[in-house]
Amino acid sequence: METTIGGLLRDAASTAGDRTALIAGVPEASARRALTFSETLTQAERVAAALLARFEPGERVAVWAPNTVEWILLEYGAALAGITLVTVNPAYRPSELEFVLKQSRAAGIFLLPEWRSNPMAAALDSVRTNLPALREAVLFTEWEEFLATHRQQERLPQVTPDDPVQIQYTSGTTGFPKGAVLHHRGVTNNARFYVERLRLQPEETMVSPMPLFHTAGCFMGVLGALQARAALVPVLMFEPGLVLELIESTGASAFCGVPTMLVALLESVGASGRDLSRLRVVVSGGSVVPAELARRLERELGVTFVIVFGTTECSPLVTQTALDDSEVDRVETLGRPLPQVDVMIAAPDSGSPVPVGEVGELCARGYQVMTGYNDNLEGTAAAIDSQGWYHTGDLASMDARGYLRIEGRLKDMIIRGGENIYPREIEDALGTHPAVAEVAVVGVPDERWGEIVAAFVRLSPNLEATEAELLAHCRARLAPYKLPVRWEFVDAFPMTGSGKIQKFKLKESAAVPAAD
């Protein structure tokens, strides 16, 4: 559909104006203000007018804050004003902030003075002299003062589906991020297809701790709930107790979180005493979801598990399981492509399709692919080929029915003595051990074999497992050449802001073991 974010918000206000659109997911129950769709539109139009008093349509404005209602109102207001929003991880330090603001040529930024011990205002001050394009900095603590600056008769511009809507910086699992320029058509339609397959209903509620600076938060969550006419509860920050309380108190039927969040919820739900009986579906993606974790969720919470797969560059979703898929397909595959998305499994060397069932690089083509990387023609050309295929860098296979399975990252594939080893297979095997909460497998250099397998393991609370026990567990399930040689037990993994394990940091930290 030829849609824009502003157009969707106006439609929702006209057809479901009195329904609840947003509920602040903050710890203090008395501070959980709610907005209807009509109130959200009114506020968003005020934001748009105030933005246009300071910026021109087409300029870039950054947002550097956690999951607040004001963040979402700024998302809507910028879209109505034809301004491109640049999303920034609130955990960023000065050098990271400077990179994003300079690379995006942001003319303005909205931020909190401080968040979770990160002195954000001071950090901005420390780099501002290096940002000649940055004219305005607005504190969210002065939100009402900002809104008061709008011109009463400010006319909003005509915004088209092709117009850029956001620059989202990729999550940085393999290095520093690139800015994907996304357009209204891609993000609005992608979110619509997502909630249609999820069967999210009007007046249902979705609780989402997914960060708004990430596509899962501001598109799947915000735009998905908008088009379903459902209420969204953006959780200020992920904390298992808070999330469980919000699911109970709002009667939420849907929840979206990355695997690390799901593990934390399962570890907390038994002692919480919360009534989650209205929760019917849990959505996850962003990184590999172990099949046993998905089965535990369905078994212990009585929900249907839905897995999504996508990339920032694809607005973001490419595939998704369906509620009526078989249990095996729900927990062991990525589902099938969303409507109007072409998917190809290509041989990495030739770019040609591989036979059904074989492993290759997952490529996607369609309405949802980004315009390109901001000011990065070389990076764009490397990612999107002449036929419009976006090369994800993910290794996958597709069966004859169109269901996909992820095998790992192309860059993460381990080549041991000429044998290709896919980390996902080893991670899945270790994930079936009852003491393993999370695992990440990487390849590390070895003089004899070229690379060997290293496994980083986080054990579940109050459970123990030795290296020998885990090795025996793998030996019963994997060929000898796939067995981990290097073992590391960790309390936590290095993570991106969107909850993905940064495997390149694990590789850097892994010492080279002696050759066998």
Side-chain angles (χ1 to χ4, degrees), residues 289-351:
V289 182
E292 184 55 32
L293 173 60
R295 290 190 174 98
R296 280 188 63 198
L297 282 163
E298 294 202 339
R299 182 174 63 248
E300 297 180 22
L301 300 185
V303 298
T304 300
F305 178 74
V306 169
I307 190 169
V308 294
F309 169 82
T311 70
T312 302
E313 292 86 346
C314 289
S315 300
L317 297 184
V318 176
T319 73
Q320 180 179 338
T321 57
L323 298 180
D324 55 2
D325 279 338
S326 70
E327 190 261 2
V328 171
D329 286 335
R330 286 199 309 273
V331 304
E332 295 185 6
T333 79
L334 303 177
R336 291 175 292 182
L338 286 175
Q340 301 190 46
V341 176
D342 293 338
V343 171
M344 172 175 63
I345 308 300
D349 53 352
S350 68

Side-chain angles (χ1 to χ4, degrees), residues 263-264 266-268 296 434-437 458-464:
V263 170
L266 285 174
E267 291 172 352
S268 303
R296 280 188 63 198
V436 174
R458 183 176 77 82
L459 297 176
S460 297
N462 305 317
L463 294 178
E464 295 182 359

Side-chain angles (χ1 to χ4, degrees), residues 136-341:
E136 302 271 355
V138 180
L139 295 175
F140 277 112
T141 51
E142 299 173 355
W143 182 250
E144 290 301 322
E145 292 86 342
F146 160 70
L147 293 180
T149 63
H150 78 280
R151 302 186 188 116
Q152 294 293 330
Q153 302 301 318
E154 188 69 61
R155 295 188 61 181
L156 300 184
Q158 184 70 32
V159 178
T160 75
D162 288 318
D163 286 341
V165 64
Q166 286 192 18
I167 300 178
Q168 285 258 353
Y169 281 81
T170 55
S171 54
T173 58
T174 56
F176 212 75
K178 299 183 287 291
V181 181
L182 304 174
H183 45 81
H184 285 259
R185 180 187 293 105
V187 302
T188 55
N189 284 281
N190 197 260
R192 175 171 59 89
F193 290 135
Y194 160 64
V195 292
E196 285 177 354
R197 192 170 287 188
L198 200 63
R199 297 180 190 169
L200 190 65
Q201 299 299 307
E203 300 188 33
E204 284 193 312
T205 299
M206 174 184 284
V207 170
S208 175
M210 291 303 296
L212 290 169
F213 68 81
H214 186 268
T215 50
C218 68
F219 297 147
M220 291 168 58
V222 174
L223 302 185
L226 172 68
Q227 293 178 91
R229 308 297 191 258
L232 177 70
V233 184
V235 183
L236 182 65
M237 57 183 176
F238 178 77
E239 193 282 315
L242 172 61
V243 168
L244 292 169
E245 190 269 318
L246 286 169
I247 292 173
E248 179 186 54
S249 63
T250 64
S253 57
F255 170 81
C256 182
V258 295
T260 51
M261 295 176 181
L262 304 184
V263 170
L265 288 182
L266 285 174
E267 291 172 352
S268 303
V269 68
S272 70
R274 296 294 179 186
D275 178 8
L276 308 183
S277 59
R278 296 182 65 181
L279 188 66
R280 64 174 178 85
V281 62
V282 170
V283 182
S284 191
S287 60
V288 172
V289 182
E292 184 55 32
L293 173 60
R295 290 190 174 98
R296 280 188 63 198
L297 282 163
E298 294 202 339
R299 182 174 63 248
E300 297 180 22
L301 300 185
V303 298
T304 300
F305 178 74
V306 169
I307 190 169
V308 294
F309 169 82
T311 70
T312 302
E313 292 86 346
C314 289
S315 300
L317 297 184
V318 176
T319 73
Q320 180 179 338
T321 57
L323 298 180
D324 55 2
D325 279 338
S326 70
E327 190 261 2
V328 171
D329 286 335
R330 286 199 309 273
V331 304
E332 295 185 6
T333 79
L334 303 177
R336 291 175 292 182
L338 286 175
Q340 301 190 46
V341 176

Side-chain angles (χ1 to χ4, degrees), residues 62-67 71 88-94 97-98 101 109-128 134 137-140 213:
V63 53
W64 195 29
N67 289 7
W71 201 112
V88 187
N89 186 337
Y92 272 2
R93 295 306 188 242
L97 173 69
E98 179 183 348
L101 296 181
I109 183 172
F110 286 73
L111 70 158
L112 282 177
E114 182 178 358
W115 174 247
R116 304 189 79 175
S117 302
N118 187 5
M120 301 167 81
L124 177 63
D125 287 342
S126 71
V127 299
R128 191 159 182 179
L134 188 70
V138 180
L139 295 175
F140 277 112
F213 68 81

Side-chain angles (χ1 to χ4, degrees), residues 319 333-337 343 356 397-405:
T319 73
T333 79
L334 303 177
R336 291 175 292 182
V343 171
V356 169
S397 61
M398 183 191 293
D399 67 21
R401 304 169 302 149
Y403 284 82
L404 286 94
R405 295 173 185 265

